Amino acid sequence: MSMSSMSMSSMSMTMSGTMTDTMSMATATDGSMPMSTSSSDDPMTMGMDSMAMVFFTSTSTSLWSMAFTPNTTGQYAGTCIFLIAFAAIFRLLLAIRVNFFEIIAAAKKRRTAGLLQPYEIAAEGVPRPWRASEAVMLGAMDVVIAGVSYLLMLAVMTMNVGYFLSILGGVFVGSILCGRYTGHSGAH
């Protein structure tokens, strides 16, 4: 939006000493929507005071996009099952990340049929040598874990009770399946 499409009024000082800035912004319908911000304790004038952040039950809550909106009860149940599986996959990814070096060592040993020196894990107190291939794989794994965790966070932030409980159920299932692999780490 360019400055020419926005008209701004000047700052004004009210009697109570608070500053108020009012501006009109052009909308898609070529009308104007007043926006007022104030440093006083008044609620925002854009209707934010009517948005209550409470849990609710609905079978037609959008998940991540308008295209991912269940229209029937069956689709809602499928979305909840998907969230359970997605949260369990998140726990699996954490278990893989925690045991990354052991998994790499086992894969290398299997690939060479045990003929070469096994890929040793560094002894306690001795830092492992840095390897670019491992750093790239760890970085990619961290990006995938962050992406999955942010998507789960956004699902919780819909405040839909079914989505919230599905994610908790998925974490529970994932912990049952992979908990023994993350038990000795600080991962959660």
Side-chain angles (χ1 to χ4, degrees), residues 104-126:
I104 293 295
K108 191 170 208 172
K109 186 175 183 178
R110 185 171 222 203
R111 201 173 331 133
T112 61
L115 298 175
L116 299 175
Q117 265 309 355
Y119 188 79
E120 296 289 329
I121 296 173
E124 283 297 315
V126 178

Side-chain angles (χ1 to χ4, degrees), residues 84-149:
I84 291 169
F86 202 52
I89 288 169
F90 173 68
R91 297 299 294 181
L92 174 70
L93 289 171
L94 285 177
I96 291 170
R97 173 62 172 92
V98 167
N99 298 300
F100 178 78
F101 295 113
E102 290 89 354
I103 292 169
I104 293 295
K108 191 170 208 172
K109 186 175 183 178
R110 185 171 222 203
R111 201 173 331 133
T112 61
L115 298 175
L116 299 175
Q117 265 309 355
Y119 188 79
E120 296 289 329
I121 296 173
E124 283 297 315
V126 178
R128 292 180 39 81
W130 185 85
R131 292 182 174 93
S133 61
E134 290 177 355
V136 169
M137 285 190 286
L138 281 173
M141 170 86 41
D142 288 343
V143 167
V144 170
I145 289 172
V148 170
S149 65

Side-chain angles (χ1 to χ4, degrees), residues 147-159:
V148 170
S149 65
Y150 290 148
L151 287 173
L152 289 171
M153 177 191 63
L154 289 172
V156 168
M157 289 175 60
T158 64
M159 301 299 282

